[in-house]
Amino acid sequence: MSELLRLSDLVKHYPDGHGRQLEILTGIQMSFESGKSYAVVGRSGSGKSTLLQLIGGLDHPTSGEVSFDGRSLFKMSADELAAWRNENLGFVFQSHHLLPDFTALENAMIPGLILGRSPKFAAQRAAVILDRLGLSERSHHKPGALSGGEQQRVAIARALANEPALVLADEPTGNLDPETGQSVASLLFELCRQEGKTLILVTHSPEVAARTDQQFRLEQGRLIGQED
């Protein structure tokens, strides 16, 4: 497998409101291979979500680089970075963030429409992913008519709609009961494997983390490798 993503001396500080800097990430060095799945675990407030935000170009580091396929994210202009995210990145959040007035199909179509695909093409791709997630019969329902697990599956469909190389998932099962969470995680893992996606997952669930190819713990601002 080839390297898809590299973190080089990644540092992130925030002001603490008292004239000092709070160190969140301190010199992280890591590479991620195409088609593999990774879990990042750690206590609340350890910086896991901050790390995903940096990997996804949603925030800028204090110093260091995030390189995707050999290209530095933070040397891109704002427009270039936005285009890169839409073409290469799928993001699944703990809260599904679905648009309440749109159907499941319409929500899953949005990334394709933003990318400039025709409505017909975007709808076809969204329908295929929803079907693979077991939601074909629910595709014309709005989020308010769907269960929590169904809503999160729509969010996964939306994240995969543009066939991104990289999928970032921030506590994707955190708002679900354990049984539903395991079911949603299974679907996410299966789809990413089938489509050759690199998956980086932040989770508090040891059971979910254990199903990835490699696990890391974020501790005192650094990523510490764990046994596969």
Side-chain angles (χ1 to χ4, degrees), residues 134-162:
L135 289 173
S136 58
E137 295 183 358
R138 308 287 282 166
S139 62
H140 295 291
H141 289 69
K142 293 181 179 179
L146 303 175
S147 69
E150 288 172 335
Q151 291 176 38
Q152 196 65 320
R153 281 186 275 161
V154 175
I156 292 171
R158 180 183 58 194
L160 294 173
N162 282 354

Side-chain angles (χ1 to χ4, degrees), residues 61-125:
T62 303
S63 62
E65 293 287 347
V66 176
S67 298
F68 177 88
D69 203 18
R71 187 182 182 193
S72 173
L73 298 190
F74 303 113
K75 292 180 180 177
M76 300 181 191
S77 68
D79 287 344
E80 288 173 335
L81 190 54
W84 171 82
R85 279 195 298 265
N86 204 44
E87 292 171 8
N88 299 288
L89 178 67
F91 214 126
V92 184
F93 299 92
Q94 181 171 346
S95 297
H96 49 76
H97 297 303
L98 300 178
L99 297 178
D101 294 329
F102 285 37
T103 66
L105 180 65
E106 290 167 339
N107 269 281
M109 287 172 59
I110 289 172
L113 297 175
I114 293 172
L115 193 60
R117 291 174 170 171
S118 70
K120 181 179 180 181
F121 186 95
Q124 288 174 338
R125 169 64 179 173

Side-chain angles (χ1 to χ4, degrees), residues 9 19 34 149 160 169 178 191 201:
D9 294 319
S34 297
L160 294 173
L191 276 175
L201 175 86

Side-chain angles (χ1 to χ4, degrees), residues 39-59:
V40 180
V41 300
R43 61 177 178 78
S44 296
S46 61
K48 301 185 301 299
S49 293
T50 297
L51 178 63
L52 283 195
Q53 297 279 327
L54 293 174
I55 291 172
L58 299 173
D59 193 6

